[in-house]
Amino acid sequence: MRIEVEYKNHTGELTPKTFPMTRLAFAKHLAIAGQAYAPCLQKFIRSVGMYWSYSYYIQKRAFNEDRFSEPPIQLSDPTEKSHFSNLAGKAIADFLSKRIDQSIFTVNYEAAMRLRNIPIKGCRPDLLAYKSNENIFAIEAKGYSGGCRNMQKHKDQSQQGEIPVNFSVACVSYDLYKKVKCNYYDPFNDNIPFDEELFRELTKNYYRGLSEFLIFPHREHQIQDESFYEVELFPHFFEEILSDNMHFRYYRDFCRDVYYRCPRLILPGRIREYAEAGLPRETRPFSFEGGERDHDLYIDNDRVGLIINSTT
């Protein structure tokens, strides 16, 4: 999928940009940013169930045509479609924050509020993002099946909330089922001191939850001169269960693309260190060098990613 972006920087200058996003990249951002919870082993089944539920919306043919697909008429549900649109908007916002603003780590805004014992009430952005130059910014994310609507309203909400930030972003994705477009507007705020304690606690929780997946079979290997773990997620018997089960006929393409290709989780080689102490403040974002046609491996700036078997 190629996402057409209208980018407005803090001076008000508009620049058109285009960013390619693979389905594997979308899966990573949807599972973590879109679902708005910290990843951990206990929530694994919930994540898998999410992909079953939304498989109609991420069919390969539509995705490669720069749009999301829709369920057949007999399975259509406007509420479900609206819910997926919202989640897709958050996932795209998270993805673009890594590409445009080079954030190294993002978290649900409410998670940071809980750590600071701030009451969960009133208007607030969706995500909190950190850059390696010790800047922190907030993201208000939306996803619509139709037009863009009121950007000023979204910009205003991106600047609300009680956690001090250096700047805030309004990221609105629209026309999701025709040809995905996005407005990424960057309102600028005053500089604020970097809250190292909050950053450390948020990243500790993030990597601690992900480290639980190391109970699954895994192996170490090098990617771009860094050490990573490759973790098996699905037992082999899943393939046998799904291969002859008539109840999964509607999900045939999804089964082939996801389960038969055995997705595996990519985790940083230093994940136990991160889980214990959080990310060091000097950590640079991982710059994945996969090309636009590299659909079998994706690693995000936070060194978490997915890999699947290549098709023949």
Side-chain angles (χ1 to χ4, degrees), residues 188-255:
F188 188 81
N189 300 338
D190 293 331
N191 287 330
I192 52 97
F194 182 73
D195 190 337
E196 185 172 0
E197 180 184 356
L198 180 60
F199 175 68
R200 185 172 61 250
E201 289 302 315
L202 288 170
T203 54
K204 279 171 59 176
N205 290 341
Y206 180 71
Y207 290 104
R208 185 185 297 133
L210 286 167
S211 69
E212 296 174 4
F213 286 89
L214 292 178
I215 69 167
F216 291 152
H218 59 274
R219 65 185 182 92
E220 294 185 57
H221 65 128
Q222 297 292 115
I223 302 174
Q224 296 176 199
D225 298 324
E226 284 199 32
S227 177
F228 288 87
Y229 292 110
E230 184 178 308
V231 184
E232 297 285 348
L233 294 179
F234 298 102
H236 293 297
F237 66 78
F238 263 120
E239 297 183 13
E240 299 179 10
I241 293 173
L242 296 174
S243 59
D244 297 317
N245 195 324
M246 296 296 290
H247 294 293
F248 294 102
R249 179 178 296 171
Y250 281 117
Y251 300 94
R252 187 173 298 153
D253 290 341
F254 181 72
C255 295

Side-chain angles (χ1 to χ4, degrees), residues 34-49:
Q35 283 292 85
Y37 58 74
C40 66
L41 187 59
Q42 289 180 319
K43 297 166 181 174
F44 179 55
I45 297 300
R46 178 181 174 183
S47 296
V48 174

Side-chain angles (χ1 to χ4, degrees), residues 6-62:
E6 181 179 87
Y7 170 60
K8 178 186 284 188
N9 65 17
H10 64 276
T11 67
E13 180 183 1
L14 284 172
T15 307
K17 296 177 178 287
T18 302
F19 295 91
M21 178 177 64
T22 65
R23 284 206 302 168
L24 209 56
F26 180 72
K28 190 273 180 185
H29 292 278
L30 180 70
I32 294 179
Q35 283 292 85
Y37 58 74
C40 66
L41 187 59
Q42 289 180 319
K43 297 166 181 174
F44 179 55
I45 297 300
R46 178 181 174 183
S47 296
V48 174
M50 177 188 70
Y51 286 106
W52 284 110
S53 178
Y54 296 129
S55 64
Y56 289 121
Y57 296 91
I58 50 176
Q59 295 296 307
K60 181 185 295 184
R61 181 174 179 179

Side-chain angles (χ1 to χ4, degrees), residues 20 71 107 114 116 163 189 213 219 252 254 273 275 280 282 290:
V107 66
R114 291 190 181 97
R116 280 286 170 262
I163 299 173
N189 300 338
F213 286 89
R219 65 185 182 92
R252 187 173 298 153
F254 181 72
E273 176 186 332
E282 68 273 11

Side-chain angles (χ1 to χ4, degrees), residues 76-88:
S76 179
D77 181 343
T79 301
E80 179 187 76
K81 181 179 178 181
S82 177
H83 190 210
F84 175 79
S85 299
N86 178 266
L87 295 178

